[in-house]
Amino acid sequence: MKMIIRSLKWINAGIYTPVFTINYDLGCSAINQSTILTQADLPTDDACWPILINGGTQENPVTITLGEDIVLTGPNRYFIIESEYVNFDGANKNVTIKDINNYNGLFNNGDASNNGFSNVNITNINIKADNSTLTNSSGWVVQQNFAKAATNVVIDNCSSNGDLTNLNNAGIAGDNLAING
């Protein structure tokens, strides 16, 4: 893995110091620490998707912030939340879902067989669908059964503009949002 420095600051002794850093080049690994995410950081190999987000604790939550608009072009290009205390802040950037038929949604946090994780925040994301459709019972931002049996889960200030042509589609969340939670 390599660290990518996005900006340097000149200090008194003529030394440059990082102002902020982005996570490591993701390759095929999980995101398990706070990071600023850009298009260049996303894997281009379909085998590296979906991306797992884990490692959050009450004392040290994992916070991912979008640093720019991103474009996703494959059906498995989404994020799976695998721990509590995960925050994904879209920073009012656009996530374009391009040329994907039967997309499941950007975030998975639980499914029909597995409970979701509590203490998760998904905020400030704008989904733009470009020649894409959702699979039945899905939402553009979160998938079916998101936050199943979980508590303290927030989806706030998110939007989508995609078609809702399949059975039980929704703009933000799929069927069974926070069921049993």
Side-chain angles (χ1 to χ4, degrees), residues 13-27:
I15 300 171
Y16 287 97
T17 187
V19 174
F20 65 89
T21 59
I22 197 159
N23 195 22
Y24 299 92
D25 183 1
L26 293 179

Side-chain angles (χ1 to χ4, degrees), residues 77-94:
R77 302 224 172 179
Y78 61 90
F79 299 91
I80 299 176
I81 296 169
E82 289 194 322
S83 74
E84 292 192 80
Y85 301 102
V86 169
N87 304 307
F88 197 106
D89 181 1
N92 294 310
K93 306 294 186 206
N94 296 319

Side-chain angles (χ1 to χ4, degrees), residues 32-53:
N32 55 21
Q33 61 187 11
S34 294
T35 188
I36 297 171
L37 193 62
T38 67
Q39 186 75 44
D41 303 310
L42 297 175
T44 56
D45 183 350
D46 286 337
C48 295
W49 288 87
I51 293 176
L52 311 177
I53 303 172

Side-chain angles (χ1 to χ4, degrees), residues 109 116-122 146-147 150-155 177-178:
N109 180 21
F117 290 92
S118 298
N119 303 301
V120 171
N121 297 300
I122 307 293
F146 187 87
T151 58
N152 196 28
V153 175
V154 174
I155 302 167
L177 175 68

Side-chain angles (χ1 to χ4, degrees), residues 13-170:
I15 300 171
Y16 287 97
T17 187
V19 174
F20 65 89
T21 59
I22 197 159
N23 195 22
Y24 299 92
D25 183 1
L26 293 179
C28 285
S29 64
I31 299 173
N32 55 21
Q33 61 187 11
S34 294
T35 188
I36 297 171
L37 193 62
T38 67
Q39 186 75 44
D41 303 310
L42 297 175
T44 56
D45 183 350
D46 286 337
C48 295
W49 288 87
I51 293 176
L52 311 177
I53 303 172
N54 54 39
T57 65
Q58 186 172 6
E59 298 77 28
N60 192 21
V62 172
T63 299
I64 296 101
T65 305
L66 284 183
E68 64 185 9
D69 293 349
I70 62 173
V71 177
L72 302 178
T73 58
N76 291 325
R77 302 224 172 179
Y78 61 90
F79 299 91
I80 299 176
I81 296 169
E82 289 194 322
S83 74
E84 292 192 80
Y85 301 102
V86 169
N87 304 307
F88 197 106
D89 181 1
N92 294 310
K93 306 294 186 206
N94 296 319
V95 177
T96 300
I97 310 302
K98 185 172 175 54
D99 300 326
I100 303 173
N101 290 320
N102 295 317
Y103 188 64
N104 287 316
L106 187 59
F107 294 97
N108 171 291
N109 180 21
D111 56 37
S113 303
N114 299 292
N115 290 337
F117 290 92
S118 298
N119 303 301
V120 171
N121 297 300
I122 307 293
T123 58
N124 308 314
I125 296 173
N126 305 308
I127 301 290
K128 306 290 183 190
D130 181 1
N131 193 37
S132 296
T133 62
L134 286 169
T135 191
N136 289 342
S137 303
S138 292
W140 288 106
V141 178
V142 301
Q143 297 180 7
Q144 184 177 13
N145 294 303
F146 187 87
K148 178 183 171 190
T151 58
N152 196 28
V153 175
V154 174
I155 302 167
D156 187 40
N157 196 34
C158 296
S159 67
S160 69
N161 77 341
D163 290 335
L164 303 175
T165 55
N166 287 336
L167 181 66
N168 298 323
N169 287 152

